[in-house]
Amino acid sequence: MAELLILKRKHFAEDTKPKEWSDLKWAGRPLRGDIIEIRPDGYFRVEALGEGKVGWDRNAFCLIRIPKVDPKDVEYLTKPYTDARITTAETVRYKRQYRIPQWDSLSWNKNNVTVGGKKFEEWYLDFTKFANVAGLITNKAG
Amino acid sequence: MADTTYYVDTDVSGGAGDGSSWANAYSSLNAAEAARNADITAVGIITFLCRGSTNADTTAVAIDGWTTDATHYVVVSVDSEDRHAGTWSDTKYRLATASDARTLYINENYTIVDGVQLSKNSYTNIGVIGVNAGTATVKSCILKVVGTERFLFTTSGGAGTVEVRNSILYASVRYGFYLNSSGTVNLNNVTVAGCPWHGVQRVAGTVNCNNVASIGNGDNSTYFCFSGTITKTNCASTDTTADGTNCETGIAHSTSTFVNVTAGSQDYHLVSGSGLIDQGSDLSGTFTTDIDGETRSGTWDIGADEYVAAGGASIPRSNPFSRPFSQSLGRGGF
């Protein structure tokens, strides 16, 4: 199983370009639904299920769990993207290349949990196979 | 608003994972950076304090998407107990990636990276650290290539000043520094070694090297220890390219200079009799210690390490967090 952290917190510049930002930087800004991190089965603790080893920032992220996927096979989903190399200027850049743009319309399990004395709303979702998630993922670089 | 520290622990178990304490630490710098990405110009200095002696931090990180200014910026530092001691250690905090992204990409001005070990085990031709910000500081870091990456440290940004200080870089398949920004890059007390192409390659911008040891780089035919228009002061090279003011040449990449240069066991601390000892210039107006946190005294040495004789006076590394951060890391300190 692979576990994917998906950005849930709205980025401060998601809707409006800060005046000091370049168009290039704004075009590559973080967006909700960006795929942030991928870990193996059982890595992130789902408090509602009593499973997992490590906490995750439930205010910032939601969690997708998919069985029968080697994290190494899907590690590329956390990549940044630039069309530049050492000797050429950037004309396209994404902090995260891959995103689930319809993240908020998925049928998340939402549980109110208390961890370390703090209350969180924990969003997680189990998929039966990666193909079901792959169809939701957009490659920003086209 | 106040300066804020968020905790990253690759060995954490359980907790809330929101970085509010060691018990609730993020398990990777990547997740911490993504969760706390913000306009911090009305907030303060955001420090990601990292530790982890068992598990490496294996996800590449991009410091990008923030709004910062000269007094409100991002710091990546390592807790004193899990900070390297001047040589690579797999029992100290390390950002060790195998993806084809830069291990650390700095795209926000004024970012400071302090005391981090970084390695990359994948060839993509983009570097272990890439700096696209105009102004940034990397200090007391160790960078190495494990596989076939061709670049250790690259710059590509605009106006500003990038400083690398008290750091050791080695074992790229090609270049050490590849400096292609239009601003200024200052390399101060840096050791770059064991790269078969140029050790320090200036492509564009202004490059100033002070007390830089570029040793065992190049082939002295097509590639060299220093290449391009670089102002070199009290630098050293194996070939003849350390040709600036008070520079040394003919310094061997061997145990006559460093403790160990064997691949996989490199230790670039200086040995007694090293040609780098007492050949540097005093930069105490900018910093006063070496990569180990030991105070530089007398005539400074060239490179990241200040030689301390066995049984000689050695001042333990201070904990930079024992005093206000603004005095230790952000504005002065080592």
Side-chain angles (χ1 to χ4, degrees):
Chain A
M1 181 181 284
E3 300 185 346
L4 285 61
L5 278 187
I6 309 298
L7 188 61
K8 181 176 74 170
R9 176 179 284 156
K10 186 175 184 179
H11 188 260
F12 73 98
E14 181 166 317
D15 296 333
T16 305
K17 184 169 83 72
K19 61 181 185 303
E20 66 275 24
W21 280 30
S22 67
D23 290 342
L24 176 65
K25 180 172 178 176
W26 195 61
R29 68 196 182 282
L31 296 170
R32 285 179 290 179
D34 281 356
I35 300 171
I36 303 300
E37 194 148 315
I38 295 176
R39 295 287 185 170
D41 182 17
Y43 186 82
F44 291 114
R45 181 172 177 79
V46 176
E47 212 65 29
L49 302 179
E51 297 175 352
K53 296 184 295 187
V54 170
W56 46 289
D57 190 335
R58 294 157 180 87
N59 290 329
F61 306 118
C62 40
L63 179 66
I64 287 178
R65 310 193 311 169
I66 319 162
K68 299 178 182 177
V69 175
D70 185 339
K72 291 189 185 310
D73 292 340
V74 291
E75 187 181 44
Y76 70 94
L77 292 171
T78 64
K79 278 176 47 172
Y81 176 82
T82 172
D83 63 344
R85 280 295 181 259
I86 298 297
T87 55
T88 58
E90 296 173 345
T91 57
V92 177
R93 176 203 310 152
Y94 301 109
K95 179 165 180 171
R96 307 285 172 180
Q97 184 176 351
Y98 294 95
R99 180 183 183 225
I100 299 177
Q102 302 303 317
W103 68 280
D104 57 343
S105 62
L106 300 178
S107 300
W108 296 97
N109 298 303
K110 299 178 182 179
N111 296 297
N112 293 314
V113 299
T114 300
V115 187
K118 299 178 180 182
K119 294 181 178 178
F120 299 94
E121 187 174 65
E122 181 179 78
W123 290 27
Y124 77 94
L125 185 56
D126 288 338
F127 280 84
T128 55
K129 53 185 179 181
F130 181 68
N132 295 341
V133 178
L136 302 172
I137 297 172
T138 296
N139 180 352
K140 297 177 185 176
Chain B
M1 299 295 284
D3 299 349
T4 306
T5 296
Y6 295 109
Y7 298 87
V8 176
D9 184 353
T10 57
D11 299 334
V12 70
S13 178
D18 64 356
S20 58
S21 65
W22 286 124
N24 294 318
Y26 291 100
S27 62
S28 74
L29 179 60
N30 170 60
E33 195 277 343
R36 297 297 173 180
N37 204 288
D39 176 351
I40 58 173
T41 54
V43 177
I45 299 168
I46 301 298
T47 299
F48 295 111
L49 186 60
C50 305
R51 75 177 188 187
S53 58
T54 301
N55 299 308
D57 199 342
T58 58
T59 308
V61 180
I63 310 293
D64 193 6
W66 300 69
T67 295
T68 62
D69 63 27
T71 55
H72 307 88
Y73 48 85
V74 176
V75 176
V76 177
S77 189
V78 178
D79 184 58
S80 57
E81 289 190 7
D82 276 348
R83 183 181 287 240
H84 66 77
T87 56
W88 185 275
S89 171
D90 285 336
T91 59
K92 302 293 184 182
Y93 177 81
R94 66 269 185 211
L95 190 55
T97 66
S99 72
D100 59 1
R102 296 173 180 89
T103 301
L104 178 63
Y105 185 47
I106 302 172
N107 201 33
E108 295 301 342
N109 275 329
Y110 313 107
T111 299
I112 296 173
V113 180
D114 178 26
V116 182
Q117 300 182 108
L118 304 105
S119 73
K120 188 169 183 295
N121 186 4
S122 176
Y123 160 64
T124 44
N125 207 17
I126 56 177
V128 178
I129 290 183
V131 180
N132 194 49
T135 297
T137 302
V138 173
K139 53 188 177 181
S140 301
C141 291
I142 299 174
L143 282 70
K144 71 173 182 177
V145 168
V146 177
T148 54
E149 171 59 43
R150 293 178 174 178
F151 298 83
L152 281 158
F153 192 105
T154 68
T155 62
S156 55
T161 301
V162 174
E163 184 194 4
V164 183
R165 176 197 309 172
N166 280 338
S167 294
I168 297 171
L169 302 83
Y170 59 91
S172 165
V173 171
R174 289 190 176 176
Y175 297 89
F177 288 91
Y178 190 91
L179 306 173
N180 194 22
S181 60
S182 58
T184 297
V185 177
N186 294 329
L187 308 183
N188 296 325
N189 279 98
V190 167
T191 298
V192 53
C195 302
W197 287 31
H198 301 309
V200 181
Q201 163 85 74
R202 179 267 182 189
V203 179
T206 300
V207 177
N208 301 306
C209 290
N210 298 288
N211 301 343
V212 172
S214 182
I215 308 299
N217 302 305
D219 58 5
N220 201 24
S221 173
T222 305
Y223 303 105
F224 301 96
C225 289
F226 294 92
S227 176
T229 304
I230 300 170
T231 300
K232 288 159 275 191
T233 306
N234 293 81
C235 292
S237 63
T238 304
D239 56 24
T240 60
T241 56
D243 53 4
T245 305
N246 298 325
C247 290
E248 305 291 319
T249 60
I251 305 297
H253 185 236
S254 71
T255 52
S256 64
T257 307
F258 303 110
V259 171
N260 194 336
V261 298
T262 302
S265 305
Q266 290 95 333
D267 182 347
Y268 286 105
H269 286 101
L270 304 182
V271 295
S272 176
S274 170
L276 303 178
I277 294 174
D278 289 345
Q279 300 299 321
S281 58
D282 187 329
L283 304 178
S284 58
T286 306
F287 59 99
T288 59
T289 55
D290 73 352
I291 189 171
D292 303 315
E294 292 169 338
T295 299
R296 293 183 183 273
S297 60
T299 303
W300 285 31
D301 300 340
I302 295 174
D305 178 42
E306 181 76 9
Y307 177 72
V308 178
S314 176
I315 300 171
R317 180 174 62 228
S318 60
N319 180 349
F321 299 95
S322 63
R323 56 189 188 277
F325 192 79
S326 60
Q327 296 175 21
S328 61
L329 286 170
R331 306 174 183 96
F334 63 83

